[in-house]
Amino acid sequence: IISYLGTALRGQTGQIIGLLLVFSPVAIRNIHVAQSIIQLFAARAAGELQRKKAEDALRDSEQRYRAIVEHAYDLIIETTATGECQYVTPNCQKVLGYGAADMLGKSFFDFVHPEERGSLSESFHSHLKALQEIDMVCRLQTKQSEWRWFESHIHPFRTSIGTVVGVIVTRDITEWKRLEEERLRATKLESVGLLAGGI
């Protein structure tokens, strides 16, 4: 090696993310032209390096969030703005008895109890249109035709292509509801007992 030139590869904020070095077996004659060419290549190399790092980070992020979502205790359902299911977590099979094929393309509100369906559907659509979060408690029908209570939080967002979707995170609270009803019944019986004792 008789001569060499080098330049830093800089990221978008100016930080050094690498180096580009060129070695030559002969003396470099026109140093200014050579430097211009190297800087041009360095700019392209820095752009490629950043793109590759961004792709790797995105892939890692997707894998991490997929692992979190697919192993969460809560059911997570992604819907269109009109309520059609686009994605359901695997534990829907365990909790509701429905596989992804049973739910995808169907409205989330097809599974909601008829007594709650109308008001919740209307509230869902108005909140998603305004990109506002909403909480709701309703009964969902399992594949075995059992009605179970669920507490849901719905988070709407607009995708990069402008489509509005809703993410429903819902938890089975049937047991909690049953215990609450038993507690209220016991409180009423206690009040009746006290009243009868007084009489």
Side-chain angles (χ1 to χ4, degrees), residues 61-111:
S61 177
E62 284 176 353
Q63 289 174 350
R64 183 167 55 251
Y65 282 107
R66 183 172 292 278
I68 291 168
V69 165
E70 292 189 351
H71 295 91
Y73 171 76
D74 296 335
L75 306 183
I76 302 171
I77 301 166
E78 183 184 303
T79 71
T80 63
T82 53
E84 281 79 34
C85 299
Q86 296 187 128
Y87 171 81
V88 296
T89 47
N91 60 346
C92 278
Q93 178 92 48
K94 183 179 177 182
V95 178
L96 292 172
Y98 301 111
D102 298 319
M103 297 185 74
L104 297 181
K106 292 182 182 172
S107 173
F108 172 77
F109 296 96
D110 289 345
F111 304 94

Side-chain angles (χ1 to χ4, degrees), residues 99-135:
D102 298 319
M103 297 185 74
L104 297 181
K106 292 182 182 172
S107 173
F108 172 77
F109 296 96
D110 289 345
F111 304 94
V112 174
H113 196 283
E115 291 176 9
E116 296 134 20
R117 188 176 296 154
S119 59
L120 290 178
S121 177
E122 189 178 317
S123 181
F124 173 88
H125 291 109
S126 63
H127 277 80
L128 250 72
K129 191 175 181 181
L131 292 177
Q132 294 175 337
E133 295 186 6
I134 178 177
D135 293 311

